[in-house]
Amino acid sequence: MADMREFRDAVTGWAAGGPDGPARGLAESLGARTAVLLEGLSDLAAVEALAARRGRDLAAEGVCVVPMGGAMSVGRYAGLLGPPGLGLRLTGLCDEGEKGFYERGLTRAQAPVQDIHVCAADLEDELIRALGTAGVEEILRVEGDFRAWQSFQRQPAQQGRPRHQQVRRFLGTKKGRKIRYGRLLVEALAPDRTPPPLDGLLASL
């Protein structure tokens, strides 16, 4: 039986120049109604983790969460999935610095730009502020990354930098770490400490 992951893969292939037929067929069979456009896989991990915490089955609700591999692809994906293509409702989560890409992409696709949820810097920054650096360090300790974190802090380039900025940079220093901690940081949040952009995105679906 087809699932939303298969649809997401079909959309990725379509965006890369492949045929539209598989995505169109799956959209209809799965009852897809909304596409959430994300910059990358760490954002996907965070959104899926928060949905799970709240007992939401996004796929069953007809929601496809799509990591695009960068904000510059938003125009392409919005055109394929929005009114000019499959006719799905579009929403998304992006960094402050990438807001312009999203606004232009959704505008060209004739989709409402107010459905974009914008992080102050990026989602990692929002999650670190919500948990506090001490809270993130405790997760690093539990996950066995605390020694690597201490070594990172001793690097000359990190001297004098605020702890918050050090943590944010550390999460991006190893392939796959941002994806892994995207989930872990969300799972550690107190219910009333969810960053507003992430909270607003889930509430809008």
Side-chain angles (χ1 to χ4, degrees), residues 41-82:
L41 293 172
S42 61
D43 300 322
L44 173 65
V47 170
E48 290 185 334
L50 184 60
R53 281 195 64 178
R54 295 185 175 179
R56 299 278 300 273
D57 184 343
L58 296 182
E61 296 173 24
V63 177
C64 181
V65 186
V66 184
M68 302 178 296
M72 288 186 289
S73 297
V74 68
R76 174 68 172 158
Y77 278 86
L80 298 180
L81 297 170

Side-chain angles (χ1 to χ4, degrees), residues 13-185:
W14 185 16
D20 64 341
R24 290 185 182 279
L26 287 165
E28 182 175 353
S29 65
L30 293 169
R33 60 175 182 81
T34 299
V36 182
L37 303 180
L38 303 177
E39 293 185 50
L41 293 172
S42 61
D43 300 322
L44 173 65
V47 170
E48 290 185 334
L50 184 60
R53 281 195 64 178
R54 295 185 175 179
R56 299 278 300 273
D57 184 343
L58 296 182
E61 296 173 24
V63 177
C64 181
V65 186
V66 184
M68 302 178 296
M72 288 186 289
S73 297
V74 68
R76 174 68 172 158
Y77 278 86
L80 298 180
L81 297 170
L86 298 183
L88 306 184
R89 176 192 168 224
L90 300 179
T91 184
L93 182 75
C94 69
D95 303 345
E96 175 66 39
E98 315 298 351
K99 181 181 177 183
F101 289 112
Y102 271 67
E103 289 180 335
R104 289 189 292 274
L106 268 68
T107 297
R108 285 198 300 271
Q110 304 169 357
V113 297
Q114 64 263 29
D115 289 340
I116 305 168
H117 301 267
V118 183
C119 299
D122 56 25
L123 183 55
E124 287 75 28
D125 177 75
E126 295 273 3
L127 291 170
I128 294 165
R129 283 192 283 112
L131 285 165
T133 54
V136 177
E137 287 181 328
E138 181 57 30
I139 298 170
L140 294 174
R141 191 187 306 277
V142 170
E143 294 298 314
D145 283 329
F146 194 73
R147 183 170 295 179
W149 159 240
Q150 289 179 312
S151 297
F152 174 81
Q153 285 182 291
R154 291 193 290 268
Q155 294 178 3
Q158 301 307 315
Q159 301 307 305
R161 296 185 71 187
R163 182 68 60 89
H164 179 101
Q165 292 181 14
Q166 291 177 339
V167 173
R168 183 175 166 220
R169 180 69 187 93
F170 176 74
L171 294 179
T173 56
K174 183 179 179 181
K175 185 177 181 180
R177 183 177 281 155
K178 284 178 67 173
I179 300 171
R180 178 181 167 210
Y181 279 93
R183 174 181 60 81
L184 291 170
L185 297 186

